[in-house]
Amino acid sequence: MLILGIESSCDETGIALYDSAAGLLSHALHSQVAMHAEYGGVVPELASRDHVRRVVPLLRSTLEKAQKSLADIDAVAYTRGPGLSGALLVGSAFAEALALALDKPTIPVHHLEGHLLSPLLSADPPTFPFVALLVSGGHTQLMQVTGVGEYTLLGETLDDAAGEAFDKSAKLLGLPYPGGALLSKLAEQGRPGVYELPRPMLHSGDLNFSFSGLKTAVLTLVREQGEHLADEFKADAARAFQEAIVEVLAKKALKALKQTGLKQLVVAGGVGANKQLRATLDDEARRKRFRVYYPELEFCTDNGAMIALAGCLRLQSGTPSKPAGEFAVLPRWPLMQIAG
Ligand code: KG4
Ligand code: ZN
């Protein structure tokens, strides 16, 4: 069974072909980061228009790379939500129209389910059940994943998402959008312990997070510096921010493992690319004898492969596909609505 996957929930157009027997055949991605950078954030209308421009050429190159034709596709999976409504509409309308023309069914996919399952694209994938730490630009959740569609929410952020906190703190330090990865690079040059930032909710006793106070603490640090931010300050502040957020994420993830008794941790979403987070969790995994799995770096951030995979796993686990043609995007769509 060959599944075409289409992702267009935010500022990346991703297309992929996933074969139920052979795995991922090919994928292609266009990131709009450079286009949005000059505005300091994603401009939804520009995002939608760019998806329109990219989707056909990306589909062509994905088919070419896999040496497949449209006629080989058995079903079309696409991101139905959550995300920007206009951006979702482009991918959804394209997917539904293509499937209708090919007389094939569609599988609307939840974007976060794509992230949750993305580590299964690796050569050495985890097995169910596992704990997932989902850390993206829009979400921060700890989830118990018992099987495809079997998700239990263990805890989540009460305000900003981890990626959002990275991006907002980066902006405060004068870094261009999206600053998460840049802040993390800068933190490598920073000295540990120069500034001490709060670890919000570290001892809250539950598995929830809160990051808006951490961002405010960075703002206070920045204000204390006056007009000019020295490079050394920026690096030290970036280091302090990263140490604080990584400690909270890692400790809560460990607590989730302890609480569930599970021995496998999956880290998914853009912040899962963070080197310090990975080093900390790898270290804890060695000491506390659990295994930690990350998606390949290219599948940490938004991509079509995770959508094609999620669509395929959904079909295999008994979720029916639907006839192409009618659809409705869900810009706000709690993951728990699809959990069994
Ligand atoms: O999963 P993703 O591509 O998008 C959403 O679905 O939200 O995640 C993007 C987020 C951004 O906030 C970005 O700054 C952050 O992931 N990010 C990082 C790193 N790479 C990307 N944050 C920290 N360290 C990184 N290396
Ligand atoms: Zn995402």
Side-chain angles (χ1 to χ4, degrees):
M1 194 169 48
L2 186 64
I3 310 292
L4 172 69
I6 300 178
E7 155 63 30
S8 73
S9 65
C10 188
D11 58 349
E12 258 117 18
T13 322
I15 307 278
L17 282 167
Y18 188 88
D19 183 280
S20 53
L24 184 66
L25 299 187
S26 64
H27 65 104
L29 186 81
H30 175 77
S31 168
Q32 304 174 358
V33 159
M35 181 180 78
H36 297 296
E38 79 178 272
Y39 303 97
V42 176
V43 184
E45 181 58 26
L46 292 183
S48 312
R49 286 165 191 249
D50 200 64
H51 287 305
V52 172
R53 271 194 294 274
R54 306 292 172 183
V55 70
V56 172
L58 286 174
L59 172 60
R60 285 215 175 98
S61 71
T62 306
L63 285 167
E64 249 166 53
K65 270 191 261 174
Q67 299 189 320
K68 296 283 180 191
S69 72
L70 286 173
D72 297 319
I73 295 168
D74 294 305
V76 182
Y78 65 90
T79 306
R80 183 187 190 190
L84 301 170
S85 56
L88 290 166
L89 271 172
V90 175
S92 303
F94 180 76
E96 292 284 350
L98 178 67
L100 195 64
L102 296 173
D103 197 19
K104 294 290 156 61
T106 55
I107 319 157
V109 170
H110 194 293
H111 180 79
L112 294 184
E113 183 170 42
H115 276 304
L116 270 189
L117 299 174
S118 61
L120 301 178
L121 289 164
S122 314
D124 176 24
T127 51
F128 298 118
F130 53 78
V131 167
L133 172 66
L134 190 61
V135 272
S136 71
H139 295 83
T140 299
Q141 296 179 329
L142 273 163
M143 205 86 69
Q144 178 168 338
V145 181
T146 311
V148 176
E150 294 173 48
Y151 314 127
T152 310
L153 184 67
L154 302 171
E156 64 183 333
T157 183
L158 304 180
D159 41 55
D160 292 355
E164 191 181 354
F166 263 97
D167 294 339
K168 286 180 176 170
S169 299
K171 196 170 185 178
L172 291 171
L173 294 174
L175 301 175
Y177 169 86
L182 292 172
L183 183 147
S184 160
K185 259 203 150 13
L186 191 61
E188 285 173 22
Q189 298 156 27
R191 296 163 296 172
V194 177
Y195 302 105
E196 196 63 33
L197 292 178
R199 271 74 172 148
M201 293 187 73
L202 187 58
H203 304 295
S204 62
D206 57 19
L207 295 170
N208 290 330
F209 304 89
S210 162
F211 295 120
S212 74
L214 186 53
K215 170 198 65 194
T216 311
V218 174
L219 175 64
T220 308
L221 261 191
V222 166
R223 287 212 173 124
E224 283 166 6
Q225 300 301 304
E227 285 290 290
H228 176 72
L229 300 183
D231 288 346
E232 194 174 58
F233 163 77
K234 288 192 206 172
D236 291 342
R239 180 73 182 238
F241 168 82
Q242 184 167 272
E243 297 215 321
I245 196 162
V246 163
E247 183 180 338
V248 177
L249 290 172
K251 289 226 164 110
K252 295 260 172 169
L254 256 62
K255 193 174 161 70
L257 287 171
K258 204 167 163 199
Q259 191 174 304
T260 55
L262 297 177
K263 292 278 172 211
Q264 298 179 101
L265 175 70
V266 156
V267 184
V271 182
N274 187 272
K275 277 194 203 157
Q276 193 176 349
L277 178 64
R278 288 184 174 216
T280 306
L281 289 173
D282 288 344
D283 193 42
E284 291 289 348
R286 267 189 300 275
R287 295 198 303 122
K288 305 225 165 75
R289 294 174 192 283
F290 63 89
R291 278 204 67 184
V292 55
Y293 297 85
Y294 310 95
E296 306 291 333
L297 270 179
E298 60 182 333
F299 301 135
C300 268
T301 47
D302 294 349
N303 64 85
M306 67 183 192
I307 302 303
L309 169 78
C312 184
L313 293 177
R314 273 282 175 183
L315 283 186
Q316 286 175 333
S317 68
T319 306
S321 56
K322 66 166 205 58
E326 282 187 31
F327 69 98
V329 299
L330 294 174
R332 289 175 186 278
W333 188 11
L335 181 61
M336 284 308 115
Q337 278 184 5
I338 60 160

